[in-house]
Amino acid sequence: MKKLGIILTDKGSKYAVSGCPVNSRAGIDAAIKALKRDKAYAKATHNTWGALLPDDGPIKADDGESGAGMVILRMLEREDLTGHLVVVTRWYGGKHLGGDRFRHVQTCVRAYLDALAG
């Protein structure tokens, strides 16, 4: 699992991004479990994720951050990145962010995609 760590902060909330190649739902589950072995990620408010699986197609989870998984999926689809899991982690800072939270998810995914390409 490639962890880029904290990408940005806003009103006390912190966002991080991680990811790795996967080919199945079992691979996703194993990767999420491995990520959560890190206590900081296990204690995060949300670990939202998305992946385009070669055989099963798009799959996502919002983990309580409604709509965030779809944002990740759309970005993966635009990049045509199949067989890769991207996880955006948020530690809630006590203040609601409204629509900014979607921009923050996009910023994190873009940082991850740029790191893959670079």
Side-chain angles (χ1 to χ4, degrees), residues 20-101:
C20 64
V22 293
N23 288 312
S24 66
R25 178 58 199 248
I28 291 171
D29 293 341
I32 297 292
K33 185 176 180 180
L35 180 66
K36 289 183 176 182
R37 281 193 200 111
D38 182 324
K39 286 182 184 178
Y41 288 84
K43 291 180 180 181
T45 314
H46 309 286
N47 282 294
T48 60
W49 57 265
L52 300 174
L53 298 178
D55 296 328
D56 299 325
I59 185 168
K60 65 178 175 61
D62 291 334
D63 192 27
E65 186 81 290
S66 183
M70 185 55 72
V71 172
I72 297 168
L73 276 183
R74 284 189 188 126
M75 292 185 75
L76 294 176
E77 287 169 346
R78 267 187 244 125
E79 296 290 323
D80 197 28
L81 184 59
T82 302
H84 210 94
L85 169 69
V86 175
V87 182
V88 175
T89 302
R90 177 183 179 192
W91 293 269
Y92 180 62
K95 294 189 177 158
H96 293 286
L97 301 178
D100 287 344
R101 64 192 176 97

Side-chain angles (χ1 to χ4, degrees), residues 8-15 65 90-104:
L8 63 93
T9 60
D10 184 9
K11 298 179 183 170
S13 286
K14 296 176 186 171
Y15 285 82
E65 186 81 290
R90 177 183 179 192
W91 293 269
Y92 180 62
K95 294 189 177 158
H96 293 286
L97 301 178
D100 287 344
R101 64 192 176 97
F102 296 114
R103 282 189 290 283
H104 297 335

